[in-house]
Amino acid sequence: MSQILPMQYLTPGETGCVLDVDGDQNLVRRLGEMGLRAGVAVRMVQPGRPCIVALDHQRFSFRGEDDAVVMVEVDRN
Amino acid sequence: MSTVAEPASLLTVALIGNPNTGKSTLFNALSGSRALTGNYPGVTVEKKISRMTCGDRAVDLIDLPGTYSLAPRTLDEMVAVNVLLGKQSDVRAPDVVICIVDASNIERNLYLVSQVLDMALPTIVVLNMCDVAAARGIQIDVPALSKRLGLPVIKTEAHRKRGLDELRSTIVSVAAVAPTHHLDRPPIFPAAFAAECEQLGAMLTSLGKPQTPYFLLERLLLDVGGYLEGHFVDGQASQLTAHLVGARERLAAQGVKVPAAEARLRYEWIRNILEGVLTRPASRPVTVSDKLDSFLTHRVAGLVVFALLMLGMFQAIYTGAKPLMELCDAGKDRVGNVVGGWLPAGMLNSLVVDGIIGGVGAVLVFLPQITLLFLFMAILEDCGYMARAAFLVDRLMTRLGLSGKSFVPLMSSFACAVPGILATRVIENRRDRMTTILVAPLMSCSARQPVYVLMATAFVPATTVLGGWQLPTLVVFGMTFLGALVAVPIAWLLKKTVFRGETPPFVMELPSYKWPSPGVIFNRVYEQAREFVVRAGTLIMATTVLIWGAGYFPGDHSRVDELTAQIEALQADPTRAEEHAEEIDDLVSQQNQMRGQLLEESYLGRFGHAIEPAVRPLGWDWRIGVGVMASFPAREVIVTTLGTIYSLGSSVEADDRNLVSAVQAARWPDGRPVYNVPVAVSIMVFFALCAQCASTLLVIRRETNSWRWPVFTFCYMTALAYLGALLAYQIGRLWS
């Protein structure tokens, strides 16, 4: 069953597909330019605040606030 | 008849790329020699240009700041755009653009390439770090990529200097061909967008503007409320805005929703370009970086490593630099003696020896320490650890309303606030950046050390406490962290009042770990050290001369000079010097007394007496007051000034026993000693918190583009220092 949740709630090692990046326009574009955009797969490396997520071979430290929410879709049974 | 080859003209080549793509390494590998660095006029964006040769052509290579995008939102990006468009007045328009791409992360990197393509300049794509990509099982069909992009694509491994010759010859051949629009390359934006750009261009021309480059038209349409809209057309701003709003509505109706459309369309274009060109393994192999990260960013182990690293670094800086600093010091005294011997006794001699050599030398002595700190920072930065450190402290920084990005600037400020403040440029959020700039001078820079050392050596009993620690050492250590401790509530207060705002989200790329590149590190350290020396040679020199003047005039120094001549005459004859030893000592002490009196009567001395009432509550006498006043331009001046004041001449060092015993012997008119432990602590606390550094204040002025902030910093820190010193003295007095 697929579930939709904010990226920071992925469990360690879990991979999700980014559905939507929402929030402040400038921030959303900055994230897009860095590669974090709808359609890419992100893997949780280290949860927490900030968390570390991997996008292919890139790693980002990410601490989401109200003005930047990354929603991901995961398959959870 | 032979044809005479036309003299090949100078080529200008701009190098652009994402951060962490090996751009600096490529720049160094290509240019070989050291680059000319400076700032672009009016802005504090670093300008780096190097002259090199490609075949028989001389080439100016411009290194642009590392950026993810050319949508100008920060100063760095604006400068990059201006340079590429040839609008930056002090650099020639580039003939060729080299866009460096990290082969192991090609999709994201092609985003910037796609924006550079919109500039319609002759472009070369450099595929760097191919070895890393290959190790990860990523394969790129380079000829196919080159064909799809319609551009030369060169594979390089910059750190092994591979692929450079091919790149050099390509630069020359690309420059020789007039730029053409490669129609075989798929368009990024739909036709409707291009039509809107054309309309916008026509509209701007009708307003009397010269023809606008296509790239800027594109940016005007895409960047809602962007940098350009305000800066671009002054006067007709409302007309432009109205047109842009209309244009964006028309585009939205056709399915191109600005601003979301840009990223979507560009990534779609990238996917098409890479279709069949890029092959990736089905599963992602575990890399060395992954293994390192599981340890170095670990909640507990990571913090332990981080703390040990910082501790080791400071330890190494203080102990490692010591012999070099002593050497510098000895060198300075040597120069002072030699030059002093050449010049006839008198005003010029005093100006050069006491003023210039003494003052500037006192600052240059810190060069080894600062260079060492720069070296550590450059290594940590280049190998990729700094980003992890910022990640580790983010949790702590959010409590203050800041983010992990403030960490590196604050850390650098422990060496010197100037590079620290410059390092705040990476903080995108303005409120965070301002807060960081304003608290950075509270970090205990290396110039504060001599004051702590002098006071602690003279007045803190050298007992051993807590199992083997020397009490003076502990006091110096405590003072070093006092500023950082005070910075915590100050930063919190600033974020709650002047720079109120949400804690900004924190997104930072953690680059793959790599071995630091010696060339890149050498260049970085060299540049920073050079900047430090230049500052010492200009600003600090000017202020020391000023202070020297205030301390020298209006007294009559002829008697002092006569005594100097007498002493020298006696010392000149070694046989007589021995029998006249007593006479010499007598003359020297006479001379010292005279010097002290002259200083007391000088402008500086009169001023000191005038302000004495203000510093009395801190436990200070007029001499300390003068010393503090004199060290407003640069705090390290206090040691030299106290030296002069205690009639020892200006060449006094922090751990000089003479100065130590002189301050111990200083008395109030009623015979009580001037200094005791509370006074010493009061002085140390004052220096830990005060803003006595003109360079820092000038850098704040430059970075914030306003006098308001340096004035604010100066006032709040001075008030804090005064209060802190007052508390320290009054509480200390009750105690003893």
Side-chain angles (χ1 to χ4, degrees), chain B residues 624-663:
Chain B
I624 306 173
V626 160
V628 170
M629 287 295 150
S631 51
F632 267 114
R635 47 177 71 87
E636 50 273 45
V637 171
I638 181 84
V639 176
T640 18
T641 315
L642 282 181
T644 316
I645 294 173
Y646 288 108
S647 320
L648 287 162
S650 320
S651 54
V652 175
E653 292 319 319
D655 52 356
D656 187 317
R657 300 308 308 181
N658 281 329
L659 181 55
V660 169
S661 46
V663 290

Side-chain angles (χ1 to χ4, degrees), chain B residues 102-114:
Chain B
D102 170 4
S104 65
N105 193 5
I106 186 164
E107 274 175 296
R108 207 267 316 273
N109 279 254
L110 282 181
Y111 190 93
L112 181 66
V113 173
S114 80

Side-chain angles (χ1 to χ4, degrees), chain B residues 280-577:
Chain B
R280 259 192 301 220
S283 67
R284 180 182 176 280
V286 176
T287 60
V288 180
S289 274
D290 292 341
K291 286 179 199 150
L292 275 172
D293 258 344
S294 66
F295 182 62
L296 291 177
T297 61
H298 188 269
R299 197 71 6 111
V300 183
L303 279 172
V304 171
V305 171
F306 171 70
L308 287 177
L309 208 65
M310 293 295 120
L311 214 74
M313 191 170 106
F314 276 105
Q315 181 67 25
I317 287 164
Y318 289 127
T319 54
K322 215 164 184 178
L324 273 172
M325 287 178 80
E326 277 160 10
L327 210 73
C328 278
D329 220 21
K332 186 198 82 183
D333 290 345
R334 192 73 182 262
V335 170
N337 285 338
V338 169
V339 175
W342 285 341
L343 292 169
M347 197 178 82
L348 186 67
N349 187 305
S350 174
L351 168 67
V352 172
V353 177
D354 302 337
I356 298 174
I357 298 177
V360 175
V363 179
L364 284 183
V365 166
F366 293 102
L367 186 62
Q369 209 172 61
I370 288 177
T371 309
L372 212 59
L373 190 107
F374 287 150
L375 179 71
F376 278 112
M377 298 288 217
I379 292 174
L380 290 182
E381 176 79 54
D382 202 50
C383 72
Y385 185 77
M386 273 306 189
R388 271 77 182 180
F391 164 80
L392 286 168
V393 296
D394 181 71
R395 187 183 285 266
L396 199 81
M397 299 300 247
T398 45
R399 301 245 169 96
L400 306 177
L402 295 173
S403 81
K405 287 189 184 169
S406 299
F407 169 74
V408 176
L410 293 178
M411 185 73 220
S412 319
S413 300
F414 270 98
C416 176
V418 173
I421 289 166
L422 296 183
T424 60
R425 289 174 196 167
V426 297
I427 306 170
E428 274 173 50
N429 183 287
R430 189 188 152 270
R431 292 183 302 259
D432 269 27
R433 181 164 183 235
M434 290 299 300
T435 309
T436 313
I437 288 177
L438 297 190
V439 298
L442 278 173
M443 302 302 124
S444 187
C445 66
S446 53
R448 282 164 166 116
Q449 288 299 317
V451 186
Y452 302 154
V453 171
L454 171 68
M455 290 297 143
T457 321
F459 303 105
V460 179
T463 46
T464 309
V465 287
L466 299 174
W469 288 92
Q470 288 279 308
L471 191 59
T473 315
L474 282 184
V475 169
V476 171
F477 195 72
M479 285 297 154
T480 305
F481 288 96
L482 178 69
L485 219 66
V486 172
V488 171
I490 297 287
W492 182 83
L493 215 66
L494 283 172
K495 279 294 290 190
K496 282 275 173 255
T497 55
V498 193
F499 303 113
R500 192 179 2 211
E502 294 281 304
T503 304
F506 174 54
V507 186
M508 194 181 53
E509 191 175 2
L510 303 176
S512 294
Y513 290 103
K514 67 179 188 70
W515 287 108
S517 144
V520 171
I521 287 172
F522 177 80
N523 276 312
R524 203 170 297 166
V525 173
Y526 173 82
E527 278 314 317
Q528 286 173 318
R530 198 185 61 121
E531 211 169 301
F532 176 80
V533 172
V534 166
R535 213 170 40 240
T538 50
L539 178 92
I540 294 182
M541 177 142 128
T543 51
T544 41
V545 168
L546 222 73
I547 295 297
W548 167 86
Y552 190 86
F553 295 108
D556 175 16
H557 290 256
S558 53
R559 266 302 286 159
V560 174
D561 297 337
E562 265 170 44
L563 285 175
T564 310
Q566 274 180 35
I567 295 166
E568 270 168 11
L570 285 175
Q571 281 174 332
D573 187 348
T575 49
R576 282 179 64 202

